[in-house]
Amino acid sequence: MVDRQLRRRGIRNERVLAAMLEIPREEFVTPDTRVSCYGDWAMPIGHGQTISQPYMTALMAEALELTGGETVLEIGAGSGYAAALLGALAANVVTVEIVTPLADLARENLRRTGRDRNVTVIRADGSTGFPEMAPYDAISVAAGAPEIPPALLEQLRNPGRLVIPVGGYGHQDLRVLVKDGAKVSDRVAAGCLFVPLRGADGWR
Ligand code: SAH
């Protein structure tokens, strides 16, 4: 997975590549999809939601440029896999999940793999962020938003980095926003396809 899907497509950050090797993806998927869980695709995790393709998870983590001391907010815990990865790259991770059984699943997967040491799962609507633990050095949104939720930029530290898929149901741009001083830069890292971000500042 790391050589064929990640290195070959341009993931260069060695900490990200090492973390992708370290996190046991099979512990975050359903029993019937375990055999194919290192494949180059997203997979169903129940409740109409998916665990992202490994490349997309790695690309998002790389875009955050984590060095180890950061506090990170993830929106859309799903299986807890990406949160475990972020936990291996940063000091603390808060991951928010709107679907209660998936919040429970993420919590259980993180506990079983010993990744709950620095990763906390919150059952809530994350489209307005999670102000209780703000500011965050980095924010990763794992569901497609119609627009960038203003609360997420407010809860981002200065300097800080936000990665978020923005667009319609059939296609989104993976956008990387970097807050630095008075400026916020905004670039498109890739085209992508995520499940919709629901909630107050998502799709109603
Ligand atoms: N990061 C996950 C993949 C998540 S898929 C993994 O590695 O497995 C996107 C998730 O976002 C879904 O679980 C969905 O329920 C959740 N979601 C959608 N809208 C949300 C919202 N407003 N707040 C929190 N979670 C949300």
Side-chain angles (χ1 to χ4, degrees):
M1 175 186 80
V2 168
D3 285 340
R4 291 197 195 148
Q5 300 171 39
L6 309 185
R7 281 188 200 276
R8 194 172 288 180
R9 283 206 195 104
I11 303 293
R12 290 282 174 267
N13 184 309
E14 291 296 335
R15 292 184 73 236
V16 171
L17 294 165
M20 292 292 295
L21 276 177
E22 179 188 318
I23 305 298
R25 188 169 167 88
E26 65 279 7
E27 297 288 344
F28 293 85
V29 302
T30 58
D32 55 312
T33 60
R34 274 191 166 212
V35 289
S36 54
C37 80
Y38 286 91
D40 194 13
W41 41 68
M43 295 196 308
I45 54 172
H47 306 275
Q49 307 302 321
T50 54
I51 178 173
S52 303
Q53 178 193 23
Y55 171 69
M56 193 49 64
T57 304
L59 185 67
M60 293 173 81
E62 185 172 66
L64 295 177
E65 297 188 3
L66 301 169
T67 59
E70 297 86 354
T71 296
V72 182
L73 174 67
E74 183 193 33
I75 309 302
S79 68
Y81 175 74
L85 184 77
L86 295 169
L89 296 167
N92 278 296
V93 178
V94 180
T95 182
V96 181
E97 173 55 53
I98 199 168
V99 177
T100 302
L102 289 178
D104 293 341
L105 175 73
R107 218 173 266 128
E108 170 57 23
N109 289 344
L110 289 160
R111 191 199 57 74
R112 199 180 54 255
T113 51
R115 298 284 156 179
D116 57 347
R117 186 184 57 78
N118 65 340
V119 183
T120 306
V121 181
I122 308 283
R123 212 301 306 174
D125 171 12
S127 71
T128 50
F130 188 65
E132 287 85 341
M133 294 195 57
Y136 304 97
D137 301 294
I139 301 178
S140 176
V141 182
E147 287 169 61
I148 293 167
L152 297 185
L153 271 177
E154 281 158 25
Q155 292 168 31
L156 190 63
R157 198 187 292 277
N158 194 344
R161 304 177 75 92
L162 164 67
V163 57
I164 179 168
V166 181
Y169 277 92
H171 173 88
Q172 300 111 25
D173 289 330
L174 185 69
R175 286 173 53 186
V176 182
L177 283 83
V178 180
K179 196 194 259 191
D180 191 7
K183 286 187 314 198
V184 180
S185 68
D186 186 349
R187 74 179 170 95
V188 176
C192 56
L193 182 55
F194 280 80
V195 297
L197 180 75
R198 292 153 52 184
D201 281 347
W203 297 95
R204 300 258 177 162

mmCIF file of all heavy atoms in Angstrom, residues 45 49-52 74-82 96-99 102 124-127 142-143 195-199, ligand 1:
data_model
loop_
_atom_site.group_PDB
_atom_site.id
_atom_site.type_symbol
_atom_site.label_atom_id
_atom_site.label_comp_id
_atom_site.label_asym_id
_atom_site.label_seq_id
_atom_site.Cartn_x
_atom_site.Cartn_y
_atom_site.Cartn_z
ATOM 1 N N ILE A 45 -18.395 1.343 5.938
ATOM 2 C CA ILE A 45 -18.224 1.046 7.373
ATOM 3 C C ILE A 45 -19.577 0.995 8.089
ATOM 4 O O ILE A 45 -19.638 0.953 9.309
ATOM 5 C CB ILE A 45 -17.310 2.082 8.072
ATOM 6 C CG1 ILE A 45 -17.809 3.522 7.831
ATOM 7 C CG2 ILE A 45 -15.868 1.923 7.606
ATOM 8 C CD1 ILE A 45 -17.072 4.587 8.642
ATOM 9 N N GLN A 49 -21.817 5.251 5.424
ATOM 10 C CA GLN A 49 -20.565 6.009 5.458
ATOM 11 C C GLN A 49 -19.403 5.117 5.015
ATOM 12 O O GLN A 49 -19.550 3.907 4.890
ATOM 13 C CB GLN A 49 -20.325 6.557 6.871
ATOM 14 C CG GLN A 49 -21.503 7.347 7.422
ATOM 15 C CD GLN A 49 -21.895 8.521 6.541
ATOM 16 O OE1 GLN A 49 -21.040 9.211 5.988
ATOM 17 N NE2 GLN A 49 -23.198 8.737 6.384
ATOM 18 N N THR A 50 -18.246 5.759 4.777
ATOM 19 C CA THR A 50 -17.100 5.005 4.261
ATOM 20 C C THR A 50 -15.815 5.375 4.993
ATOM 21 O O THR A 50 -15.689 6.471 5.539
ATOM 22 C CB THR A 50 -16.874 5.302 2.755
ATOM 23 O OG1 THR A 50 -16.763 6.716 2.583
ATOM 24 C CG2 THR A 50 -18.007 4.764 1.903
ATOM 25 N N ILE A 51 -14.874 4.437 4.993
ATOM 26 C CA ILE A 51 -13.487 4.742 5.361
ATOM 27 C C ILE A 51 -12.812 5.164 4.062
ATOM 28 O O ILE A 51 -12.972 4.522 3.020
ATOM 29 C CB ILE A 51 -12.791 3.527 6.018
ATOM 30 C CG1 ILE A 51 -11.327 3.830 6.371
ATOM 31 C CG2 ILE A 51 -12.887 2.259 5.186
ATOM 32 C CD1 ILE A 51 -10.644 2.705 7.182
ATOM 33 N N SER A 52 -12.089 6.286 4.084
ATOM 34 C CA SER A 52 -11.519 6.841 2.854
ATOM 35 C C SER A 52 -10.445 5.923 2.275
ATOM 36 O O SER A 52 -9.844 5.122 2.981
ATOM 37 C CB SER A 52 -10.892 8.208 3.134
ATOM 38 O OG SER A 52 -11.829 9.089 3.686
ATOM 39 N N GLU A 74 -10.421 16.722 13.972
ATOM 40 C CA GLU A 74 -10.949 16.046 12.784
ATOM 41 C C GLU A 74 -12.468 16.114 12.829
ATOM 42 O O GLU A 74 -13.057 15.902 13.895
ATOM 43 C CB GLU A 74 -10.512 14.576 12.720
ATOM 44 C CG GLU A 74 -11.020 13.928 11.428
ATOM 45 C CD GLU A 74 -10.929 12.404 11.369
ATOM 46 O OE1 GLU A 74 -11.070 11.742 12.405
ATOM 47 O OE2 GLU A 74 -10.751 11.881 10.271
ATOM 48 N N ILE A 75 -13.102 16.373 11.696
ATOM 49 C CA ILE A 75 -14.560 16.308 11.603
ATOM 50 C C ILE A 75 -14.902 15.072 10.774
ATOM 51 O O ILE A 75 -14.481 14.967 9.615
ATOM 52 C CB ILE A 75 -15.155 17.570 10.930
ATOM 53 C CG1 ILE A 75 -14.638 18.860 11.581
ATOM 54 C CG2 ILE A 75 -16.685 17.509 10.969
ATOM 55 C CD1 ILE A 75 -14.900 19.009 13.044
ATOM 56 N N GLY A 76 -15.656 14.142 11.372
ATOM 57 C CA GLY A 76 -16.025 12.901 10.684
ATOM 58 C C GLY A 76 -15.114 11.755 11.086
ATOM 59 O O GLY A 76 -14.255 11.309 10.323
ATOM 60 N N ALA A 77 -15.305 11.234 12.298
ATOM 61 C CA ALA A 77 -14.445 10.160 12.829
ATOM 62 C C ALA A 77 -14.629 8.870 12.042
ATOM 63 O O ALA A 77 -13.665 8.134 11.823
ATOM 64 C CB ALA A 77 -14.739 9.912 14.305
ATOM 65 N N GLY A 78 -15.868 8.577 11.635
ATOM 66 C CA GLY A 78 -16.140 7.325 10.915
ATOM 67 C C GLY A 78 -15.610 6.139 11.690
ATOM 68 O O GLY A 78 -16.006 5.881 12.826
ATOM 69 N N SER A 79 -14.680 5.408 11.079
ATOM 70 C CA SER A 79 -14.099 4.218 11.717
ATOM 71 C C SER A 79 -13.076 4.568 12.792
ATOM 72 O O SER A 79 -12.695 3.709 13.593
ATOM 73 C CB SER A 79 -13.387 3.391 10.648
ATOM 74 O OG SER A 79 -12.248 4.093 10.165
ATOM 75 N N GLY A 80 -12.562 5.788 12.752
ATOM 76 C CA GLY A 80 -11.476 6.181 13.663
ATOM 77 C C GLY A 80 -10.096 6.013 13.051
ATOM 78 O O GLY A 80 -9.087 6.366 13.672
ATOM 79 N N TYR A 81 -10.031 5.501 11.826
ATOM 80 C CA TYR A 81 -8.727 5.223 11.194
ATOM 81 C C TYR A 81 -7.894 6.494 10.987
ATOM 82 O O TYR A 81 -6.729 6.556 11.405
ATOM 83 C CB TYR A 81 -8.933 4.488 9.869
ATOM 84 C CG TYR A 81 -7.654 4.258 9.096
ATOM 85 C CD1 TYR A 81 -6.742 3.291 9.513
ATOM 86 C CD2 TYR A 81 -7.361 4.998 7.959
ATOM 87 C CE1 TYR A 81 -5.552 3.087 8.814
ATOM 88 C CE2 TYR A 81 -6.179 4.791 7.249
ATOM 89 C CZ TYR A 81 -5.284 3.836 7.679
ATOM 90 O OH TYR A 81 -4.120 3.629 6.992
ATOM 91 N N ALA A 82 -8.489 7.499 10.353
ATOM 92 C CA ALA A 82 -7.732 8.730 10.096
ATOM 93 C C ALA A 82 -7.340 9.400 11.410
ATOM 94 O O ALA A 82 -6.252 9.975 11.522
ATOM 95 C CB ALA A 82 -8.554 9.693 9.230
ATOM 96 N N VAL A 96 -14.686 14.488 15.827
ATOM 97 C CA VAL A 96 -16.111 14.677 16.059
ATOM 98 C C VAL A 96 -16.894 13.829 15.057
ATOM 99 O O VAL A 96 -16.565 13.826 13.866
ATOM 100 C CB VAL A 96 -16.482 16.173 15.917
ATOM 101 C CG1 VAL A 96 -17.959 16.403 16.174
ATOM 102 C CG2 VAL A 96 -15.643 17.024 16.866
ATOM 103 N N GLU A 97 -17.908 13.126 15.526
ATOM 104 C CA GLU A 97 -18.727 12.276 14.650
ATOM 105 C C GLU A 97 -20.200 12.505 14.970
ATOM 106 O O GLU A 97 -20.606 12.440 16.121
ATOM 107 C CB GLU A 97 -18.344 10.801 14.854
ATOM 108 C CG GLU A 97 -19.225 9.792 14.145
ATOM 109 C CD GLU A 97 -19.342 10.019 12.634
ATOM 110 O OE1 GLU A 97 -18.307 10.110 11.952
ATOM 111 O OE2 GLU A 97 -20.479 10.119 12.145
ATOM 112 N N ILE A 98 -21.004 12.711 13.917
ATOM 113 C CA ILE A 98 -22.414 13.059 14.105
ATOM 114 C C ILE A 98 -23.295 11.819 14.299
ATOM 115 O O ILE A 98 -24.348 11.896 14.930
ATOM 116 C CB ILE A 98 -22.911 13.938 12.917
ATOM 117 C CG1 ILE A 98 -24.180 14.696 13.276
ATOM 118 C CG2 ILE A 98 -23.080 13.119 11.649
ATOM 119 C CD1 ILE A 98 -24.563 15.787 12.263
ATOM 120 N N VAL A 99 -22.887 10.668 13.753
ATOM 121 C CA VAL A 99 -23.683 9.431 13.850
ATOM 122 C C VAL A 99 -23.268 8.664 15.121
ATOM 123 O O VAL A 99 -22.127 8.198 15.212
ATOM 124 C CB VAL A 99 -23.481 8.542 12.602
ATOM 125 C CG1 VAL A 99 -24.234 7.228 12.736
ATOM 126 C CG2 VAL A 99 -23.917 9.287 11.337
ATOM 127 N N LEU A 102 -21.453 5.305 14.960
ATOM 128 C CA LEU A 102 -20.101 5.425 14.400
ATOM 129 C C LEU A 102 -19.152 6.058 15.415
ATOM 130 O O LEU A 102 -17.975 5.667 15.491
ATOM 131 C CB LEU A 102 -20.119 6.210 13.089
ATOM 132 C CG LEU A 102 -20.746 5.477 11.896
ATOM 133 C CD1 LEU A 102 -20.765 6.372 10.656
ATOM 134 C CD2 LEU A 102 -20.004 4.178 11.584
ATOM 135 N N ALA A 124 -21.046 14.677 18.126
ATOM 136 C CA ALA A 124 -21.644 16.007 17.952
ATOM 137 C C ALA A 124 -21.670 16.357 16.470
ATOM 138 O O ALA A 124 -21.089 15.655 15.646
ATOM 139 C CB ALA A 124 -20.820 17.060 18.703
ATOM 140 N N ASP A 125 -22.365 17.443 16.153
ATOM 141 C CA ASP A 125 -22.314 18.030 14.817
ATOM 142 C C ASP A 125 -21.033 18.860 14.720
ATOM 143 O O ASP A 125 -20.906 19.886 15.401
ATOM 144 C CB ASP A 125 -23.553 18.907 14.595
ATOM 145 C CG ASP A 125 -23.463 19.720 13.301
ATOM 146 O OD1 ASP A 125 -22.566 19.446 12.472
ATOM 147 O OD2 ASP A 125 -24.306 20.625 13.132
ATOM 148 N N GLY A 126 -20.110 18.419 13.901
ATOM 149 C CA GLY A 126 -18.827 19.114 13.770
ATOM 150 C C GLY A 126 -18.807 20.180 12.692
ATOM 151 O O GLY A 126 -17.770 20.793 12.462
ATOM 152 N N SER A 127 -19.944 20.419 12.036
ATOM 153 C CA SER A 127 -19.929 21.433 10.965
ATOM 154 C C SER A 127 -19.696 22.832 11.527
ATOM 155 O O SER A 127 -19.343 23.749 10.787
ATOM 156 C CB SER A 127 -21.233 21.397 10.155
ATOM 157 O OG SER A 127 -22.307 21.903 10.918
ATOM 158 N N ALA A 142 -13.398 15.301 6.975
ATOM 159 C CA ALA A 142 -13.463 14.066 6.185
ATOM 160 C C ALA A 142 -14.815 13.872 5.513
ATOM 161 O O ALA A 142 -15.197 12.753 5.176
ATOM 162 C CB ALA A 142 -13.140 12.869 7.079
ATOM 163 N N ALA A 143 -15.552 14.972 5.316
ATOM 164 C CA ALA A 143 -16.839 14.916 4.623
ATOM 165 C C ALA A 143 -16.953 16.175 3.771
ATOM 166 O O ALA A 143 -16.418 17.229 4.117
ATOM 167 C CB ALA A 143 -17.983 14.821 5.630
ATOM 168 N N VAL A 195 -18.376 11.568 1.306
ATOM 169 C CA VAL A 195 -19.776 11.606 1.732
ATOM 170 C C VAL A 195 -20.073 13.031 2.204
ATOM 171 O O VAL A 195 -19.166 13.761 2.590
ATOM 172 C CB VAL A 195 -20.064 10.582 2.869
ATOM 173 C CG1 VAL A 195 -19.837 9.158 2.382
ATOM 174 C CG2 VAL A 195 -19.241 10.869 4.118
ATOM 175 N N PRO A 196 -21.348 13.451 2.148
ATOM 176 C CA PRO A 196 -21.659 14.838 2.490
ATOM 177 C C PRO A 196 -21.457 15.173 3.971
ATOM 178 O O PRO A 196 -21.727 14.351 4.845
ATOM 179 C CB PRO A 196 -23.143 14.983 2.124
ATOM 180 C CG PRO A 196 -23.610 13.681 1.606
ATOM 181 C CD PRO A 196 -22.509 12.698 1.650
ATOM 182 N N LEU A 197 -20.976 16.380 4.211
ATOM 183 C CA LEU A 197 -20.945 16.940 5.560
ATOM 184 C C LEU A 197 -22.356 17.380 5.901
ATOM 185 O O LEU A 197 -22.951 18.178 5.180
ATOM 186 C CB LEU A 197 -19.997 18.148 5.634
ATOM 187 C CG LEU A 197 -19.879 18.808 7.009
ATOM 188 C CD1 LEU A 197 -19.032 17.957 7.958
ATOM 189 C CD2 LEU A 197 -19.281 20.213 6.896
ATOM 190 N N ARG A 198 -22.899 16.834 6.961
ATOM 191 C CA ARG A 198 -24.256 17.199 7.365
ATOM 192 C C ARG A 198 -24.193 18.299 8.420
ATOM 193 O O ARG A 198 -23.140 18.817 8.717
ATOM 194 C CB ARG A 198 -24.962 15.952 7.875
ATOM 195 C CG ARG A 198 -25.216 14.953 6.734
ATOM 196 C CD ARG A 198 -25.288 13.536 7.216
ATOM 197 N NE ARG A 198 -26.227 13.389 8.313
ATOM 198 C CZ ARG A 198 -26.412 12.249 8.976
ATOM 199 N NH1 ARG A 198 -25.726 11.173 8.647
ATOM 200 N NH2 ARG A 198 -27.277 12.180 9.961
ATOM 201 N N GLY A 199 -25.345 18.617 8.985
ATOM 202 C CA GLY A 199 -25.365 19.533 10.119
ATOM 203 C C GLY A 199 -25.599 20.988 9.766
ATOM 204 O O GLY A 199 -25.799 21.346 8.607
HETATM 205 N N1 SAH B 1 -12.214 9.677 8.780
HETATM 206 C C1 SAH B 1 -13.040 8.507 8.604
HETATM 207 C C2 SAH B 1 -13.896 8.572 7.362
HETATM 208 C C3 SAH B 1 -15.072 9.382 7.599
HETATM 209 S S1 SAH B 1 -16.375 9.363 6.418
HETATM 210 C C4 SAH B 1 -12.243 7.231 8.608
HETATM 211 O O1 SAH B 1 -11.015 7.290 8.594
HETATM 212 O O2 SAH B 1 -12.857 6.167 8.680
HETATM 213 C C5 SAH B 1 -17.152 10.855 6.938
HETATM 214 C C6 SAH B 1 -17.783 10.827 8.307
HETATM 215 O O3 SAH B 1 -18.257 12.133 8.571
HETATM 216 C C7 SAH B 1 -18.984 9.908 8.424
HETATM 217 O O4 SAH B 1 -18.786 8.995 9.477
HETATM 218 C C8 SAH B 1 -20.148 10.863 8.729
HETATM 219 O O5 SAH B 1 -21.109 10.311 9.602
HETATM 220 C C9 SAH B 1 -19.413 12.030 9.372
HETATM 221 N N2 SAH B 1 -20.100 13.308 9.352
HETATM 222 C C10 SAH B 1 -20.885 13.843 8.381
HETATM 223 N N3 SAH B 1 -21.313 15.063 8.758
HETATM 224 C C11 SAH B 1 -20.775 15.311 9.996
HETATM 225 C C12 SAH B 1 -20.863 16.402 10.907
HETATM 226 N N4 SAH B 1 -21.572 17.514 10.640
HETATM 227 N N5 SAH B 1 -20.195 16.312 12.078
HETATM 228 C C13 SAH B 1 -19.462 15.211 12.368
HETATM 229 N N6 SAH B 1 -19.353 14.146 11.549
HETATM 230 C C14 SAH B 1 -20.004 14.195 10.374
#
